[in-house]
Amino acid sequence: MLLKVQHLKKSFDGNTVLKDISFDVKKGEVIAILGRSGCGKSTLLRCLNGLEKIDSGEVWLDDALITGPGMSYRHWSEVRKKIGMVFQSYDLFPHMNVLSNITLGPMRVEKRSKEEASKEALKLLERVGLLEKQSAYPRELSGGQKQRVAICRALCMNPEILLFDEVTAALDPEMVREVLDVIRGLRDQGLTMLIVTHEMAFAEKVADEIIYMENGTIAETNTPERFFSAPSTVDARKFLNLQDDFTI
Amino acid sequence: MGINSILDLVVIFTKAALVTLEVALASIAIALVIGLVCAIVLYFGVPVLKTLIRVYVVFFRNTPSLIQAYFIFYGLPKIFMVLDSFTCSVIVLSLLGGAYMCEAIFAAVKAISTNQKELALAIGLSKLDTVRYLILPQSISISIAAINNNAIFLTKEVSAMKLILLPEIVYQAFSIISLRPDLIIPVALFMVLSYLVILIPMTYAFSRVERRIRYAEFGN
């Protein structure tokens, strides 16, 4: 098991956002986390990357406890080499060109040489179709291009698992497509991914497993086929109907 | 002070302008260092230091530099040692400028989005690297206009150091006039001219630096 989450709890100022979350992620698995806004999906990802301190529970990565009761967050810099994250707000560092944005982490965190990091960065840029933008500054890129660069930046750290937090939510439809194509390519290469998304059709196609969250709990874990044809909870059924209304 | 020709005035004011320029440049450089260090400490929120810096900034921004100069020039010898007026002026203006620079730079630090700080965390960047590669370069290019303003302000503020007998432009002008009241018009002209000779090239140089830094940081 690559990632094990056990009885994770998190609250903000007495407001419980995650109530007893447990699930496992196998190596190479792609899990889509669905649910209404405010159900705790994003908070869950942020907890897994140490951006939020959890109240209780345990998270294991590669059979090593990475967060648990009373553990400090000092080792997180190490953990984050293995757990990459891409955010909704495709923020690149505005004062660095595309290549430097990608190589900063590998060079400073993993202490790799500039040549080696650049070589890998260029390979990644080629894969997402942005090789010619390597010296461009973020302000010269479209939202979709920025988000693809942000994915390269996370990939260049060679993470064992990649977390996607609604990475297409702030993009227009055409750009959504180019970003989703990149993610699909990553799945085909066998990268382990946790994807929080509102793109139902995409989740259905790309995920091995769907986790449906409701009010800070996991309401249902199912295969995409079964979840989308016959969700087991009333809430999920309502949620999917709602989605259908929108796609008409 | 025997002044027989325009040439004597030129010599006196050239020397005075050089004193002003030296004190200004030294103070600007030190003030920048103080400002940067203070802004970084505030960013990290180091417990006791943070409060000390707050007190320092409030104190130096809210008192006239000439009172600060009096305290250091006449007060320091009583508890520590006698300093010459040049050293004293540099100390006063560096501390004054440091407080202003700290405010300008820290405001820029705060302007950098929390998204970026989280991103830095997410790629595993250490706090020190975050400051070095993200916070500092961006806050300097954001605050460069304010930094330049402070530098020009400090240069003009050197004139207040005439009260601790620094032989700068205004001090020299006043000394001449007190002996030769008839020279008031040429002396006044020379005084103004000296400032313009220093400050016009300085502002021009600063605006060049400003443009270059902004270009290097953001490509525009």
Side-chain angles (χ1 to χ4, degrees):
Chain A
M1 214 50 78
L2 182 61
L3 187 79
K4 248 175 129 60
V5 179
Q6 289 177 321
H7 309 295
L8 193 150
K9 284 188 188 129
K10 169 74 189 170
S11 57
F12 294 105
D13 304 323
N15 178 21
T16 312
V17 182
L18 297 175
K19 309 164 187 161
D20 199 20
I21 299 280
S22 301
F23 65 97
D24 295 337
V25 185
K26 289 197 257 330
K27 198 169 164 46
E29 201 171 25
V30 177
I31 297 182
I33 303 175
L34 310 179
R36 291 197 172 80
S37 297
C39 72
K41 317 179 291 280
S42 292
T43 307
L44 174 61
L45 285 198
R46 293 170 60 81
C47 287
L48 297 182
N49 200 23
L51 292 174
E52 304 289 352
K53 286 188 181 176
I54 66 170
D55 298 342
S56 65
E58 292 175 352
V59 179
W60 298 73
L61 178 72
D62 279 335
D63 299 320
L65 186 64
I66 55 170
T67 176
M71 275 182 80
S72 85
Y73 278 68
R74 283 183 184 281
H75 62 296
W76 269 98
S77 182
E78 283 301 309
V79 175
R80 290 188 184 114
K81 287 186 201 169
K82 299 180 184 173
I83 304 182
M85 183 152 175
V86 184
F87 298 83
Q88 175 180 345
S89 64
Y90 46 85
D91 266 310
L92 299 179
F93 305 128
H95 60 304
M96 294 181 174
N97 68 21
V98 166
L99 194 59
S100 309
N101 258 282
I102 302 175
T103 55
L104 179 66
M107 281 165 59
R108 297 305 306 171
V109 182
E110 297 184 308
K111 310 286 177 211
R112 281 149 65 187
S113 74
K114 194 182 164 113
E115 292 71 40
E116 199 212 320
S118 306
K119 218 174 117 189
E120 185 169 351
L122 291 177
K123 243 186 252 168
L124 290 167
L125 280 175
E126 190 173 12
R127 213 160 80 189
V128 302
L130 290 173
L131 191 57
E132 77 281 8
K133 296 285 185 194
Q134 53 175 293
S135 334
Y137 278 86
R139 57 176 198 94
E140 301 168 286
L141 304 180
S142 72
Q145 290 172 329
K146 280 190 215 172
Q147 193 60 289
R148 282 184 280 161
V149 173
I151 293 174
C152 290
R153 178 172 55 192
L155 284 175
C156 206
M157 302 288 290
N158 294 308
E160 295 183 19
I161 181 165
L162 202 47
L163 314 176
F164 288 92
D165 186 12
E166 298 190 32
V167 291
T168 56
L171 299 174
D172 65 43
E174 223 171 300
M175 295 172 181
V176 167
R177 202 187 161 73
E178 51 189 53
V179 172
L180 295 184
D181 282 343
V182 168
I183 300 177
R184 197 172 302 151
L186 295 175
R187 193 214 38 191
D188 295 342
Q189 286 184 345
L191 187 71
T192 314
M193 293 184 280
L194 272 183
I195 304 172
V196 166
T197 183
H198 286 298
E199 301 284 335
M200 294 303 139
F202 174 70
E204 188 171 6
K205 262 183 238 152
V206 85
D208 301 310
E209 189 173 270
I210 302 284
I211 287 180
Y212 180 73
M213 286 181 70
E214 183 191 335
N215 273 328
T217 58
I218 294 182
E220 180 174 354
T221 306
N222 218 332
T223 63
E225 296 79 33
R226 263 183 283 164
F227 178 76
F228 285 103
S229 56
S232 61
T233 64
V234 179
D235 189 76
R237 230 167 288 154
K238 267 196 219 157
F239 177 70
L240 289 175
N241 279 339
L242 202 68
Q243 295 292 334
D244 284 343
D245 287 345
F246 276 122
T247 51
I248 286 166
Chain B
M1 216 177 289
I3 293 164
N4 304 312
S5 67
I6 273 289
L7 198 67
D8 290 337
L9 282 181
V10 171
V11 171
I12 291 170
F13 276 100
T14 307
K15 278 188 191 155
L18 280 176
V19 170
T20 296
L21 193 64
E22 280 168 24
V23 170
L25 291 181
S27 311
I28 292 166
I30 301 171
L32 247 182
V33 174
I34 294 176
L36 275 175
V37 171
C38 289
I40 292 169
V41 172
L42 288 181
Y43 170 71
F44 280 124
V46 187
V48 180
L49 278 180
K50 183 178 70 179
T51 319
L52 284 177
I53 289 171
R54 286 278 176 227
V55 171
Y56 152 66
V57 170
V58 165
F59 185 80
F60 273 88
R61 281 184 80 204
N62 297 309
T63 50
S65 59
L66 93 91
I67 292 178
Q68 296 161 11
Y70 265 142
F71 265 88
I72 290 179
F73 192 63
Y74 296 110
L76 218 51
K78 298 225 187 296
I79 53 167
F80 181 50
M81 62 184 289
V82 180
L83 293 174
D84 61 275
S85 60
F86 184 92
T87 316
C88 228
S89 304
V90 172
I91 293 175
V92 170
L93 294 174
S94 300
L95 289 172
L96 174 73
Y100 277 89
M101 296 288 188
C102 171
E103 282 293 301
I105 297 168
F106 187 55
V109 168
K110 283 190 287 190
I112 299 169
S113 68
T114 43
N115 280 343
Q116 273 198 61
K117 291 167 195 161
E118 284 195 343
L119 254 171
L121 281 178
I123 58 172
L125 224 53
S126 69
K127 270 196 150 189
L128 223 56
D129 276 350
T130 305
V131 168
R132 181 170 159 200
Y133 291 97
L134 304 179
I135 307 291
L136 270 190
Q138 287 188 70
S139 54
I140 289 194
S141 46
I142 293 170
S143 61
I144 187 73
I147 289 175
N148 288 347
N149 257 337
N150 290 344
I152 290 161
F153 156 75
L154 278 181
T155 308
K156 291 189 283 192
E157 204 62 16
V158 175
S159 59
M161 300 303 118
K162 75 172 194 292
L163 283 146
I164 57 169
L165 316 175
L166 181 74
E168 47 73 54
I169 298 165
V170 181
Y171 176 90
Q172 294 295 36
F174 281 32
S175 323
I176 298 168
I177 294 168
S178 68
L179 297 169
R180 296 280 306 276
D182 56 310
L183 289 179
I184 187 155
I185 290 184
V187 165
L189 283 176
F190 265 96
M191 184 163 64
V192 172
L193 207 65
S194 307
Y195 274 106
L196 293 182
V197 164
I198 295 177
L199 282 168
I200 289 175
M202 198 186 236
T203 42
Y204 178 72
F206 282 155
S207 68
R208 294 278 303 225
V209 171
E210 197 173 317
R211 238 175 300 156
R212 184 167 302 182
I213 285 184
R214 287 208 69 89
Y215 181 80
E217 296 300 336
F218 297 106
N220 67 346

